[in-house]
């Protein structure tokens, strides 16, 4: 395929797990992969992995630490400068931390990586995405969002309170709910364009067990042997949401790997007033001008 004619897919969290599987499949489909990544060594290993499966793949690595929002913005600006349009943006990177860590910017790490970074990257790339008819944005959420405690805005965006392993699931679920709400509101704001915005739940996957658990790797091996948590199913949903024509009219929808039809986010994530308020509070926090209404 002529390099100049390749479609462009930007995907975060592509150095391992679901993201690496999805990036490989996108490359297999002829897309040029743009991979924001913090660790150059892991990015190179991912690049080699993709090339082993797709020898003619084109892969660009852009340095970006998602815990540092200035780097996220700068990476978005570099990508926007390098490409006249973007066909697909997949915000896949995610983190489940089992204790509170605060980023150099002063945000809780899970909130920064799982929500603020994808919001900012998307907003920075939006002009290039809107420049391509039929472009898509896929945000990886989770049904863990249904266990999020109580949502409080705007304080949840800046809360640095300590927590332990037991409370971590509620925080993780809350960040995934924010991602789903952001997707629905973004779809509403870009509705005059031809951009499709979809949130997906890839389901339980052995690749997402948590790097911080000492027993994660042996447990993953056991579950793989039992054929539980196959990451190819979750990655398949991500790729389908990005490319399958059947999703073209589904902007603003939320899908799970467990069923073919859209599902309703848990309250208050299904409330347009809360969705709009989240967008406005995030915009205010990050000092970014809004697109659309």
């Amino acid at each position: 395929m002529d390099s100049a004619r390749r479609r462009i897919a930007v995907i975060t969290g592509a150095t391992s797990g679901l993201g690496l599987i999805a990036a490989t499949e996108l490359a297999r489909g002829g897309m040029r992969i743009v991979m924001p990544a913090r660790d150059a060594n892991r990015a190179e290993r991912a690049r080699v992995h993709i090339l082993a499966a797709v020898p003619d793949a084109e892969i660009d690595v852009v340095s970006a630490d998602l815990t540092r929002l200035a780097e996220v913005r700068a990476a978005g600006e570099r990508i926007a400068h390098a490409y006249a349009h973007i066909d697909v943006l997949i915000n896949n990177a995610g983190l489940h931390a089992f204790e509170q860590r605060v980023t150099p910017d002063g945000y809780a790490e899970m909130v920064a990586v799982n929500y603020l970074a994808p919001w900012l990257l998307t907003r920075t790339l939006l002009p290039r995405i809107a420049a391509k008819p039929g472009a898509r944005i896929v945000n990886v959420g989770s049904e863990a969002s249904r266990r999020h405690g109580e949502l409080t805005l705007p304080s949840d965006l800046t809360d640095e309170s300590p927590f332990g392993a037991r409370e971590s699931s509620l925080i993780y679920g809350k960040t995934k709910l924010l991602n789903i709400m952001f997707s629905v509101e973004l779809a509403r704001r870009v509705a005059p364009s031809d951009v499709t915005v979809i949130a997906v739940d890839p389901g339980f996957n052995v690749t997402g067990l948590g790097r911080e658990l000492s027993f994660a790797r042996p447990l993953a091996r056991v579950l793989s042997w039992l054929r539980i948590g196959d990451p190819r199913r979750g990655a398949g949903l991500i790729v389908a949401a990005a490319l399958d024509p059947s999703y073209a009219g589904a902007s603003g929808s939320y899908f799970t790997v467990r069923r073919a039809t859209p599902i309703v986010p848990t309250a208050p994530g299904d409330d347009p007033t809360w969705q709009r308020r989240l967008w406005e509070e995030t915009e205010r926090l990050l000092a970014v001008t809004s697109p659309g209404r």
Side-chain angles (χ1 to χ4, degrees):
M1 179 181 290
D2 183 353
S3 173
R5 297 177 59 190
R6 286 186 188 257
R7 293 173 296 163
I8 308 298
V10 180
I11 177 169
T12 65
T15 59
S16 64
L18 292 177
L20 180 55
I21 297 171
T24 303
E25 291 307 307
L26 292 169
R28 202 187 305 277
M31 302 197 80
R32 182 170 186 162
I33 306 302
V34 182
M35 184 189 304
R38 175 177 62 178
D39 188 319
N41 291 328
R42 292 185 68 189
E44 177 59 18
R45 287 195 295 269
R47 191 183 72 84
V48 170
H49 175 93
I50 296 171
L51 287 172
V54 189
D56 68 339
E58 293 186 2
I59 306 154
D60 300 325
V61 177
V62 179
S63 177
D65 182 345
L66 299 186
T67 69
R68 298 173 180 266
L69 296 180
E71 287 195 24
V72 174
R73 193 189 306 263
E77 290 172 349
R78 287 197 299 274
I79 294 169
H81 179 75
Y83 306 101
H85 68 268
I86 293 168
D87 298 80
V88 172
L89 168 62
I90 300 175
N91 289 306
N92 164 72
L95 168 74
H96 186 155
F98 292 91
E99 62 180 2
Q100 181 67 285
R101 292 190 293 265
V102 179
T103 72
D105 298 333
Y107 298 111
E109 186 181 41
M110 273 202 284
V111 173
V113 172
N114 295 356
Y115 174 63
L116 294 177
W119 191 98
L120 183 58
L121 181 63
T122 302
R123 184 63 193 91
T124 306
L125 293 177
L126 199 53
R128 290 292 184 262
I129 297 169
K132 185 60 182 289
R136 297 193 191 178
I137 299 169
V138 180
N139 291 325
V140 177
S142 172
E143 280 292 81
S145 59
R146 298 193 184 277
R147 301 176 298 280
H148 66 270
E150 181 180 356
L151 185 63
T152 306
L153 295 175
S155 59
D156 279 336
L157 301 179
T158 56
D159 186 6
E160 303 169 25
S161 302
F163 60 79
R166 179 174 298 180
E167 301 88 1
S168 69
S169 293
L170 293 179
I171 307 299
Y172 175 78
K174 186 172 293 186
T175 64
K176 288 302 183 177
L177 179 62
L178 297 178
N179 241 350
I180 296 166
M181 294 169 66
F182 150 54
S183 300
V184 179
E185 179 64 16
L186 177 61
R188 187 178 296 116
R189 289 172 181 260
V190 301
S193 71
D194 193 26
V195 175
T196 296
V197 187
I198 296 172
V200 299
D201 159 47
F204 172 78
N205 295 277
V206 295
T207 60
L209 286 173
R211 294 186 296 271
E212 299 176 35
L213 289 174
S214 60
F215 55 85
R217 286 188 178 181
L219 179 57
R221 286 195 293 269
V222 171
L223 292 173
S224 294
W225 181 75
L226 293 172
R227 297 185 179 181
I228 297 173
D230 184 353
R232 290 172 296 183
R233 289 187 66 223
L237 175 61
I238 294 170
V239 173
L243 299 180
D244 195 313
S246 66
Y247 287 87
S251 193
S253 297
Y254 171 43
F255 292 89
T256 176
V257 73
R258 299 180 183 90
R259 56 185 289 184
T261 54
I263 58 176
V264 178
T266 189
D270 59 339
D271 187 333
T273 300
W274 277 87
Q275 294 160 2
R276 182 172 60 253
R277 183 180 174 196
L278 172 63
W279 181 282
E280 292 171 350
E281 295 291 358
T282 306
E283 197 173 62
R284 191 173 298 114
L285 186 67
L286 302 184
V288 179
T289 304
S290 174
R293 54 187 180 280

